Amino acid sequence: MAAKKILMITGDFTEDYETMVPFQALMAVGHTVHAVCPGKKAGQTVATSIHDFEGDQTYTEKRGHNFALNATFADINPADYDALVIPGGRAPEYLRLDAAVLAAVRHFFDADKPVAAICHGAQLLSAARVIEGRTVSAYPACRPEVELAGGIYADIAIDGAVTDGNLVTAPAWPAHPAWLAQFMTAMAAADTARQAA
């Protein structure tokens, strides 16, 4: 597969693993990943949170690393990118209030480009109204939002992922191997479709 230019939309208290791991893994295999946050510039950081599963009724949350952004949200054009990654954590909760973020997310669906969202990333998908009739995994607490947006919630193992057309979703960071593998398959399939057109 040819190297892709991938946009990652993130924000303060994004989930640490769900930001760091795909950012580094996708670059390790030759892709360019631009991590952006509305209101911040390249070189600035977002705070991350570490969500863990330790036997409580919901995940626990601890302060994570500072994650350095390498592009400026105000300067990007979604049309310049081949694919989109939406990490989970707490960032999607407030990012979904930003009209420019929602417009960027819609671009990838309108153009049928690959999109990978994990955990609470479904909150952005729901707010952008792009999942009606689509099968979507997310952290279980996001199930009502997926269903209220017309999506079909995929109740899968925490280390599983699901692909529906251009959309690859997973419930949480234990799914990274499956989620990233399916995302790379979706990007390769988009290449094949483009070449056949």
Side-chain angles (χ1 to χ4, degrees), residues 97-143:
L97 304 176
D98 188 309
V101 169
L102 298 181
V105 171
R106 286 188 200 106
H107 162 79
F108 289 89
F109 285 85
D110 292 343
D112 200 29
K113 296 177 182 179
V115 174
I118 192 165
C119 201
H120 287 72
Q123 292 179 315
L124 269 183
L125 301 177
S126 298
R129 301 185 181 271
V130 292
I131 57 171
E132 186 170 357
R134 307 291 293 270
T135 299
V136 178
S137 177
Y139 188 70
C142 295
R143 179 176 190 152

Side-chain angles (χ1 to χ4, degrees), residues 19-116:
T19 306
M20 300 271 192
V21 172
F23 181 80
Q24 294 175 340
L26 292 165
M27 289 196 304
V29 296
H31 302 301
T32 298
V33 183
H34 286 167
V36 298
C37 173
K40 295 195 180 195
K41 297 179 180 179
Q44 293 182 308
T45 62
V46 293
T48 74
S49 58
I50 297 169
H51 291 164
D52 213 343
F53 311 100
E54 301 174 303
D56 302 294
Q57 291 182 333
T58 189
Y59 57 84
T60 58
E61 184 173 74
K62 302 166 185 72
R63 178 69 164 89
H65 300 89
N66 289 330
F67 175 75
L69 304 166
N70 64 349
T72 301
F73 182 80
D75 295 342
I76 62 105
N77 178 358
D80 294 338
Y81 293 89
D82 300 303
L84 172 66
V85 174
I86 303 172
R90 295 178 58 193
E93 181 181 72
Y94 81 90
L95 291 175
R96 64 184 167 170
L97 304 176
D98 188 309
V101 169
L102 298 181
V105 171
R106 286 188 200 106
H107 162 79
F108 289 89
F109 285 85
D110 292 343
D112 200 29
K113 296 177 182 179
V115 174

Side-chain angles (χ1 to χ4, degrees), residues 8-10 14-15 18-19 22 85-89 92 116-121 179:
M8 174 184 280
I9 300 177
T10 190
T14 182
E15 210 290 323
E18 293 168 6
T19 306
V85 174
I86 303 172
I118 192 165
C119 201
H120 287 72
W179 180 61

Side-chain angles (χ1 to χ4, degrees), residues 124-174:
L124 269 183
L125 301 177
S126 298
R129 301 185 181 271
V130 292
I131 57 171
E132 186 170 357
R134 307 291 293 270
T135 299
V136 178
S137 177
Y139 188 70
C142 295
R143 179 176 190 152
E145 288 159 287
V146 169
E147 293 178 341
L148 286 167
I152 302 157
Y153 180 75
D155 189 4
I156 60 176
I158 196 152
D159 61 352
V162 62
T163 298
D164 184 335
N166 68 315
L167 177 62
V168 181
T169 54
W173 58 258

